């Protein structure tokens, strides 16, 4: 699953922003909505709010699009953000990068969970050509979401005004999006942590300049996390492995510096990390998972939320949910995952 294609959207109005990796102007057809969240009252042995359930913030959504130099069309983005809760912000921001031929909406559950914990989560539907991939450009497209958020933060009319701390950002991507997370973090000091979902460091049919390997950017100078699976080391339908062993999460973790987290989600396949595989055209090319989809999703959302609480907010209590007693009891003792850290 080495290249990615997003969808485009048209919009009205205008705003602009400039970030540390170039500029991104945004065209705005913004629509906002508000939803309630859970209470986040459960705790593990550390006493910290449980990342396996929604946190204490009520949330809203904002749909918009932005433009990045080098792209011919606007990039759709959906922000899921805290509306009310224990603190008023500004909040850390996390960009979510989709996988190959998978819609950004397939990761809405991650954005929801993060927003209920007090993050501004951005689902960036970045484009990439199926026939002439350019991962270097795609990484800049992902970073353009931070430029958009910076402009929204400064706007007096945006619901995100004053809510976004773009200098304390994370990136989470799946498959190709996981690779782009690493490429983007290597280019932008606003990114303070990366946790990737079954990343694939593929550069087939692409020049080294257009598709540099994520391995060549490792180790990153920020905390990293890698969730993944090994079923898709084997070739699936069509004869291609969705996550080859020499390009998978374990190969990237091996190159990471401390601190880094590795979670092997047992029985998952490459597409188990999506909210749902319903309507997924490319999912049939991968292996068939033996672990229930909902089980994998619950583990993954909890790990992502705990990782950012630990490394964007510096709350050491979340070590309990990542590698400590609660993680061991929930995931290792029940054979849902094996966990390593350094």
């Amino acid at each position: 699953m080495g290249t990615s294609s997003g969808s485009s959207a048209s919009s009205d109005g205008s705003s602009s922003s400039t970030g540390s990796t170039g500029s991104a102007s945004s065209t705005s057809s913004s629509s906002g909505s508000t939803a309630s969240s859970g209470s986040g009252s459960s705790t593990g042995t550390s006493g910290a709010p449980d990342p396996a359930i929604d946190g204490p913030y009520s949330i809203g959504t904002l749909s918009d699009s932005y433009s990045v130099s080098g792209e011919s069309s606007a990039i759709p983005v959906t922000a899921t953000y805290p509306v009310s809760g224990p603190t008023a912000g500004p909040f850390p921001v996390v960009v979510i990068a989709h996988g190959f031929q998978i819609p950004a909406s397939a990761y809405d559950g991650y954005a929801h969970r993060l927003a209920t914990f007090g993050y501004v989560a951005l689902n960036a539907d970045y484009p990439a050509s199926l026939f002439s991939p350019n991962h270097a450009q795609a990484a800049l497209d992902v970073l353009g979401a931070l430029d958009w958020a910076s402009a929204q933060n400064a706007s007096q009319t945006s619901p995100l005004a004053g809510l976004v701390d773009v200098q304390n950002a994370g990136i989470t991507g799946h498959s190709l999006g996981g690779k782009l997370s690493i490429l983007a973090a290597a280019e932008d000091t606003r990114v303070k942590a990366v946790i990737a979902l079954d990343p694939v460091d593929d550069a087939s049919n692409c020049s080294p300049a257009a598709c540099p390997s994520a391995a060549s950017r490792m180790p990153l100078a920020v905390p990293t996390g890698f969730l993944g699976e090994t079923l898709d080391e084997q070739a699936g339908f069509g004869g291609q492995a969705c996550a080859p062993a020499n390009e998978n999460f374990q190969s990237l973790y091996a190159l990471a510096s401390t601190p880094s987290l590795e979670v092997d989600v047992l029985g998952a396949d490459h597409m188990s990390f999506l909210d749902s595989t319903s309507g997924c055209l490319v999912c049939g090319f991968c292996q068939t998972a033996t672990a229930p989809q909902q089980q994998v999703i619950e583990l993954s959302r909890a790990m992502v939320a705990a990782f950012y609480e630990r490394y964007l907010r510096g709350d050491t209590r979340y070590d309990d949910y990542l590698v400590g007693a609660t993680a061991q009891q929930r995931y290792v003792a029940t054979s849902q995952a094996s966990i390593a850290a350094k």
Side-chain angles (χ1 to χ4, degrees), residues 212-241:
S213 69
S216 71
R217 301 298 191 264
M218 296 292 288
L220 293 177
V222 299
T224 54
F226 303 94
L227 275 69
E229 49 76 35
T230 57
L231 282 181
D232 276 301
E233 292 179 353
Q234 308 169 55
F237 179 74
Q240 180 179 355

Side-chain angles (χ1 to χ4, degrees), residues 122-265:
L122 308 177
N123 270 0
D125 198 359
Y126 67 92
S129 171
L130 179 62
F131 300 104
S132 55
N134 188 325
H135 298 170
Q137 178 64 50
L140 296 180
D141 296 341
V142 171
L143 289 170
L146 293 181
D147 299 334
W148 173 84
S150 182
Q152 295 295 312
N153 189 64
S155 170
Q156 295 182 352
T157 60
S158 172
L160 296 181
L163 294 185
V164 186
D165 180 4
V166 294
Q167 299 302 322
N168 191 26
I171 306 182
T172 287
H174 171 238
S175 190
L176 172 63
K179 173 184 177 177
L180 298 183
S181 300
I182 294 169
L183 297 182
E187 296 295 329
D188 197 318
T189 58
R190 292 175 296 182
V191 181
K192 300 300 193 295
V194 168
I195 182 167
L197 306 172
D198 213 25
V200 179
D201 191 17
D202 178 51
S204 56
N205 301 316
C206 189
S207 71
C211 297
S213 69
S216 71
R217 301 298 191 264
M218 296 292 288
L220 293 177
V222 299
T224 54
F226 303 94
L227 275 69
E229 49 76 35
T230 57
L231 282 181
D232 276 301
E233 292 179 353
Q234 308 169 55
F237 179 74
Q240 180 179 355
C242 288
N246 63 337
E247 300 172 348
N248 72 356
F249 75 108
Q250 292 171 328
S251 68
L252 292 169
Y253 173 75
L255 299 173
S257 58
T258 301
S260 190
L261 173 73
E262 180 191 66
V263 181
D264 184 354
V265 186

Side-chain angles (χ1 to χ4, degrees), residues 3-9 66-77 97-102 104 124-130 132-144 176 180:
T3 58
S4 177
S5 172
S7 61
S8 62
Y66 59 90
S67 297
V68 174
S69 177
E71 292 295 356
S72 60
S73 60
I75 298 172
V77 61
H98 62 80
F100 170 57
Q101 294 291 304
I102 300 171
D125 198 359
Y126 67 92
S129 171
L130 179 62
S132 55
N134 188 325
H135 298 170
Q137 178 64 50
L140 296 180
D141 296 341
V142 171
L143 289 170
L176 172 63
L180 298 183

Side-chain angles (χ1 to χ4, degrees), residues 43-45 50 303 320-337 339:
T43 61
T45 60
D50 191 345
M303 283 285 177
D320 177 41
Y321 294 108
L322 295 171
V323 296
T326 297
Q328 297 297 319
Q329 180 182 34
R330 285 181 177 177
Y331 307 126
V332 178
T334 58
S335 299
Q336 292 186 44
I339 299 173

Side-chain angles (χ1 to χ4, degrees), residues 71-87:
E71 292 295 356
S72 60
S73 60
I75 298 172
V77 61
T78 299
T80 308
Y81 60 94
V83 172
S84 62
T87 65

